[in-house]
Amino acid sequence: MSLFFGNNIALKGMMAQQAALNVTANNVANASTDGYSRQRVGLEASNPISGIVYGEQLGSGVDVSDVSRIRSEFLDYQLRTQTSKLNTQTTMNDTLDNIETVFNETSSDIGLSSDLSSFWNAWQDVSVTPATSAVRTVLMESAVTLTDNIRQIYSQLSGIQDDINTQISQSVETVDSIAERINTLNGQIANSVMNGETPNDLLDSRDLLLDQLSEIGDITVTKRGETGAVDVKLGDNTIVDQDGVHSDIDTSSVTGGSLGALIQLGDTSGESASSVQYYMNKLDTLAAGIAKSVNEIHFDAINLEGESGDENTGAEFFVSNDGEEISAANITINSAIQKDVSKIAASDEANNLTGNGDAALAIANLKTTSSLSDSVADTSTKTIDSFYQDMVTQLGSKVSETESNVDNQQTLVDNLSSKRESITGVSLDEETANMVVYQHAFSACARVISVVDEMLDTIINNMKA
Amino acid sequence: MRVTTKMLTSSLLNNVNSNLTQLQKYENQLSSDVKVDKVSDDPVAAAKILKAKSELKSQEQYSTNMEYASGWLKSVDDALASVDDVLQRAREIAVSGSNGATAIESSKALGEEVSSIIGELVHVGNTDYNGSYIFAGGESSTVPFTTIPADGSNITEVNFIISDSATLEDTFTQKVEISKGVTIDLSAGQMSFHTDGSGDTDINSSFKTLIKLRDYLVSGDQDSVNDLIGEIDSLIDNVISERAVVGAKSNRIEQAQGRSESFNTSLNTLISNLGDTDYAETSALYSSQQAVYEASLTVGANIIQPSLLDFLK
């Protein structure tokens, strides 16, 4: 056995400590990198040499066995599932909040409910002094405000609906591009694995992409055997497998993530109170209901010129501005009335009484007597006022429900990501402590070499034959 | 549990953020005086507020209606008082005209006076309130009484806008809603102007009687004048009954106004209780939230700084 053997052990030690120090440096450098998992150097004792001295085995130093990343796949799975749900709720909440802002039923006296009240009150005023043109003008203006606002709200809702559709197609594009990158990484990872390496940073990048994908939709990740590659499903769609990327996804099967929420919100059947269409339909029912019940009374009533029915050019109080059936998109006030308020028919007596306001009173009373039947699901009948109030309240409840869902889900996700961070994150204290250990071990190995050097010096230079 | 630097910062940020959100909520409530700003802030309370506000708007309208109605009835009552005065004077004239001692000349003079009384009655009959003729029933924008000749001298006939007694009833309807489903008919004059001595509808009966009185006086027909006194008496009775009806309507409105006011107050209280900020409570919450926020910032500043590196040479 030679003295160089010791030198060699020390050299291997120095190299191992250096490798460990490099990993530490890499960890510290990536302390704030998204998706980075801390890495650890696996050190193992080299194969011992047998029987050279005293017939015993003698250690031959240290080897770097592997550099591995610290990661919990179970936490990854949990976190992705919950992030998916969180994003569904957040997107839902954001959009419903937008819708609520459009209706603008706030503490101040704005919004449709106040427009409706002013409209009914204007009819009351007309019923009291039917012959005064000032009150008729006020009524006409309040009806114009009401119909303008209904149309405006409707068009804003359509805007939100369009926006949702744009976001859906953008999400699909994002999914495609992420799938593309995952597929590329799959290939690179499989290559490395075949070469017997552990592609830590590639795995981190892929995990980060999967995290991002889970924000968009509910994903299922399956390992493709021992190749290191993964297959990914979004909803029921396989988007990445051994054949590569599949970009023609059917969004309807996506239930989680922001995309899942967008699909629900953009649903055009109008059955769910979480879809924009639902509120558009409600507004349609409201507009058509007001128009129908007011027109019914107004048509047969008598205007200031003694005309009623077909001879009164303003007999239809509400009309549509595009020739279609009256809805929230096209409701407007008859232009004949707008030009000449004496066309407003307030009297229901047959003998041309300018001071009779019975018809106007009957219309004003629609506030509490009218009934709207909701064409969707609900068959109960409500007054125009309570129909609208119920809708606004329902919307408000939805917003506040999703708001508290977001809060709860956020807590859960925060908790899980903190757990994951606890496992995979870089602790500077820990790295510093490791650094000290590696540094001292390195110094000690170097010291061994210098001791061996001295020993050799003794043998070569100081031993006199 | 292993604690990393990133965990510390992110949990600190989350907590500081949620504290600040809460703080902002209270600050908003205090500065705006509103607790339920959007429906989603408290859907249950908001539903009640929306209902109450709509109800309040109706009540405000009823109040406006009642103010208008009571002003109207006040001027109806004033006008009917004048009608009463006019008829009383006519009765006095009739009494003195039926007296056998009255010479034919004085009788003619009395006839002249009745002539001017007729003019006065037409004037009262054409009283308007805010542009609407109070005795015109549903034709409130048309002058109700016109005379022949039109200049009002030596009137031979007075015409009302309606000449057919069958449709007269329909004319006298002017409904005003004073509370939900309760209407009051503001039309007046049917009793005082168009009802004869036996209580039957007879258009312009008061004018007819007065014109007859004048003609008898001018011709010196004392017996016929004497016969008319009873008729004038029942006309006066008609006016008095109509004034009683008007008075009763005014009373009804007054009571309804009282009820409406207390209802408005309770609605406003409800809206305020549900939707307005409770200053005492919110201020207290605000202060404690502020303390929490400041504490989280201080602690955060202390936790984030040190690491093992600070203690190694």
Side-chain angles (χ1 to χ4, degrees):
Chain A
M1 177 188 163
S2 81
L3 270 174
F4 294 115
F5 183 56
N7 212 2
N8 207 34
I9 293 177
L11 184 61
K12 279 170 85 178
M14 278 170 74
M15 282 160 69
Q17 302 309 328
Q18 235 176 333
L21 202 62
N22 285 342
V23 170
T24 300
N26 193 36
N27 280 343
V28 174
N30 282 301
S32 58
T33 307
D34 266 349
Y36 181 78
S37 335
R38 72 188 158 110
Q39 296 177 3
R40 195 176 53 190
V41 171
L43 295 177
E44 59 180 23
S46 309
N47 284 336
I49 298 165
S50 303
I52 296 180
V53 186
Y54 319 122
E56 293 295 327
Q57 288 200 334
L58 199 63
S60 66
V62 65
D63 281 325
V64 174
S65 63
D66 67 333
V67 179
S68 57
R69 56 180 199 139
I70 315 291
R71 188 102 187 171
S72 155
E73 277 174 23
F74 177 62
L75 272 177
D76 279 345
Y77 164 76
Q78 273 194 315
L79 189 59
R80 281 172 196 151
T81 315
Q82 299 306 334
T83 307
S84 221
K85 287 184 183 161
L86 172 65
N87 264 40
T88 310
Q89 297 297 341
T90 313
T91 311
M92 195 66 103
N93 178 248
D94 285 351
T95 312
L96 290 174
D97 198 52
N98 270 346
I99 300 177
E100 196 186 20
T101 314
V102 166
F103 280 103
N104 211 357
E105 288 298 337
T106 56
S107 50
S108 40
D109 276 335
I110 42 178
L112 268 193
S113 63
S114 130
D115 292 340
L116 275 171
S117 288
S118 306
F119 177 68
W120 301 129
N121 282 356
W123 277 108
Q124 280 274 1
D125 278 334
V126 169
S127 84
V128 175
T129 51
T132 321
S133 78
V135 293
R136 287 169 171 261
T137 309
V138 171
L139 166 61
M140 186 268 285
E141 291 299 342
S142 79
V144 168
T145 312
L146 176 68
T147 52
D148 279 358
N149 282 351
I150 291 179
R151 286 203 312 275
Q152 201 201 346
I153 289 175
Y154 191 83
S155 86
Q156 280 174 314
L157 290 181
S158 314
I160 293 179
Q161 178 81 301
D162 292 346
D163 205 40
I164 288 170
N165 291 335
T166 317
Q167 284 185 52
I168 290 176
S169 50
Q170 277 171 352
S171 299
V172 171
E173 277 169 28
T174 315
V175 167
D176 285 348
S177 101
I178 291 178
E180 204 65 63
R181 282 148 72 197
I182 290 177
N183 191 43
T184 314
L185 282 168
N186 264 346
Q188 293 170 338
I189 289 167
N191 270 339
S192 299
V193 169
M194 222 161 18
N195 294 337
E197 299 164 356
T198 323
N200 290 323
D201 299 305
L202 295 177
L203 288 171
D204 277 350
S205 304
R206 193 178 63 190
D207 278 331
L208 186 63
L209 286 173
L210 289 171
D211 285 353
Q212 286 170 2
L213 200 57
S214 75
E215 288 170 12
I216 299 176
D218 46 330
I219 58 167
T220 323
V221 181
T222 351
K223 281 190 173 162
R224 197 185 300 154
E226 291 302 313
T227 59
V230 291
D231 294 341
V232 184
K233 276 173 90 180
L234 181 77
D236 294 340
N237 307 281
T238 302
I239 55 170
V240 177
D241 66 2
Q242 68 268 20
D243 301 330
V245 175
H246 303 270
S247 58
D248 48 345
I249 62 168
D250 165 26
T251 48
S252 64
S253 70
V254 181
T255 52
S258 53
L259 185 56
L262 290 170
I263 301 293
Q264 277 188 63
L265 286 161
D267 178 38
T268 48
S269 72
E271 279 161 20
S272 145
S274 307
S275 69
V276 183
Q277 190 66 46
Y278 180 82
Y279 298 99
M280 290 167 81
N281 287 352
K282 286 264 183 185
L283 206 58
D284 271 339
T285 312
L286 183 79
I290 295 175
K292 183 170 169 274
S293 46
V294 170
N295 282 353
E296 234 165 40
I297 298 174
H298 194 261
F299 188 82
D300 293 325
I302 298 158
N303 69 13
L304 267 190
E305 278 135 36
E307 304 159 338
S308 73
D310 287 330
E311 54 180 351
N312 179 6
T313 50
E316 300 280 358
F317 191 86
F318 290 111
V319 292
S320 81
N321 61 15
D322 58 3
E324 302 286 321
E325 221 169 289
I326 297 180
S327 70
N330 61 24
I331 187 168
T332 187
I333 178 172
N334 195 325
S335 58
I337 290 174
Q338 243 171 319
K339 278 187 215 120
D340 178 6
V341 288
S342 64
K343 297 286 181 194
I344 294 173
S347 161
D348 72 349
E349 295 297 330
N351 44 5
N352 184 17
L353 296 174
T354 53
N356 180 287
D358 284 0
L361 186 58
I363 292 175
N365 281 334
L366 287 174
K367 177 176 185 176
T368 45
T369 57
S370 63
S371 61
L372 285 182
S373 55
D374 202 335
S375 51
V376 192
D378 187 8
T379 52
S380 65
T381 53
K382 295 163 181 166
T383 65
I384 291 171
D385 256 30
S386 60
F387 177 85
Y388 178 71
Q389 286 165 6
D390 287 357
M391 179 193 72
V392 170
T393 313
Q394 189 182 22
L395 176 60
S397 312
K398 269 272 166 212
V399 174
S400 105
E401 179 194 317
T402 52
E403 218 162 61
S404 69
N405 283 350
V406 168
D407 282 351
N408 294 339
Q409 196 65 25
Q410 185 73 56
T411 316
L412 192 59
V413 167
D414 284 351
N415 224 325
L416 282 171
S417 58
S418 148
K419 251 189 198 158
R420 184 165 83 167
E421 180 62 25
S422 155
I423 292 174
T424 69
V426 176
S427 156
L428 291 178
D429 292 346
E430 185 184 326
E431 299 300 332
T432 316
N434 282 342
M435 198 172 71
V436 172
V437 171
Y438 298 146
Q439 190 190 6
H440 283 290
F442 184 86
S443 309
C445 288
R447 185 84 190 125
V448 170
I449 290 178
S450 83
V451 167
V452 171
D453 181 44
E454 279 170 31
M455 287 163 78
L456 284 170
D457 186 54
T458 309
I459 293 170
I460 296 169
N461 295 328
N462 298 343
M463 286 211 336
K464 303 270 165 50
Chain B
M1 182 164 157
R2 200 174 157 264
V3 178
T4 72
T5 327
K6 220 175 161 187
M7 275 166 76
L8 280 177
T9 31
S10 66
S11 75
L12 176 74
L13 271 179
N14 281 345
N15 291 333
V16 167
N17 226 338
S18 71
N19 285 338
L20 197 58
T21 312
Q22 195 66 24
L23 198 64
Q24 191 233 359
K25 194 179 113 191
Y26 291 136
E27 191 268 333
N28 197 26
Q29 288 184 5
L30 285 171
S31 61
S32 70
D33 184 28
V34 171
K35 192 168 59 182
V36 184
D37 184 36
K38 292 184 300 176
V39 179
S40 56
D41 289 342
D42 184 350
V44 179
K48 288 181 192 156
I49 292 174
L50 275 175
K51 238 186 170 52
K53 275 196 171 165
S54 161
E55 188 62 43
L56 191 63
K57 282 269 168 62
S58 299
Q59 285 303 323
E60 281 166 3
Q61 184 60 40
Y62 292 140
S63 299
T64 316
N65 288 2
M66 282 189 280
E67 259 165 52
Y68 179 85
S70 69
W72 172 281
L73 289 175
K74 174 86 176 54
S75 57
V76 167
D77 190 53
D78 288 349
L80 288 180
S82 310
V83 173
D84 192 13
D85 289 347
V86 166
L87 290 178
Q88 293 289 358
R89 179 72 194 125
R91 187 181 186 282
E92 281 163 24
I93 292 170
V95 169
S96 66
S98 64
N99 188 342
T102 310
I104 186 76
E105 272 68 35
S106 351
S107 186
K108 268 191 182 145
L110 289 173
E112 290 304 313
E113 199 182 339
V114 173
S115 217
S116 78
I117 280 176
I118 295 171
E120 207 183 320
L121 192 58
V122 170
H123 184 70
V124 173
N126 288 339
T127 310
D128 75 289
Y129 176 72
N130 220 356
S132 299
Y133 295 99
I134 56 178
F135 294 122
E139 286 282 23
S140 56
S141 58
T142 320
V143 180
F145 297 103
T146 46
T147 57
I148 297 174
D151 64 3
S153 61
N154 203 16
I155 296 165
T156 55
E157 206 179 330
V158 174
N159 285 324
F160 187 56
I161 29 177
I162 304 291
S163 51
D164 178 8
S165 19
T167 58
L168 191 71
E169 190 73 40
D170 292 340
T171 310
F172 284 102
T173 159
Q174 252 179 306
K175 278 185 224 153
V176 168
E177 196 165 35
I178 56 164
S179 68
K180 194 178 165 185
V182 180
T183 54
I184 266 190
D185 189 354
L186 291 186
S187 63
Q190 194 184 359
M191 280 281 273
S192 304
F193 291 97
H194 311 294
T195 307
D196 67 12
S198 46
D200 295 329
T201 299
D202 176 15
I203 293 176
N204 291 330
S205 56
S206 335
F207 292 105
K208 285 180 188 160
T209 308
L210 290 183
I211 289 171
K212 263 192 278 176
L213 176 63
R214 184 198 58 198
D215 292 347
Y216 293 148
L217 283 170
V218 170
S219 64
D221 185 350
Q222 292 188 345
D223 290 343
S224 303
V225 171
N226 195 29
D227 290 346
L228 275 179
I229 293 176
E231 211 172 312
I232 295 175
D233 276 342
S234 38
L235 288 179
I236 290 171
D237 282 350
N238 285 346
V239 174
I240 290 169
S241 338
E242 183 152 27
R243 286 188 72 184
V245 171
V246 169
K249 280 179 185 170
S250 289
N251 276 343
R252 255 179 81 193
I253 289 175
E254 224 164 86
Q255 283 171 4
Q257 269 173 328
R259 272 198 303 275
S260 159
E261 259 164 46
S262 61
F263 190 44
N264 279 359
T265 314
S266 64
L267 279 176
N268 274 320
T269 315
L270 176 74
I271 292 171
S272 169
N273 279 347
L274 288 170
D276 290 354
T277 306
D278 178 343
Y279 273 90
E281 190 192 344
T282 315
S283 309
L285 289 170
Y286 181 78
S287 309
S288 71
Q289 191 61 42
Q290 199 172 28
V292 171
Y293 177 60
E294 277 166 17
S296 65
L297 284 180
T298 320
V299 170
N302 288 335
I303 286 180
I304 292 295
Q305 278 168 352
S307 88
L308 184 55
L309 282 171
D310 298 320
F311 303 98
L312 284 175
K313 268 185 237 158

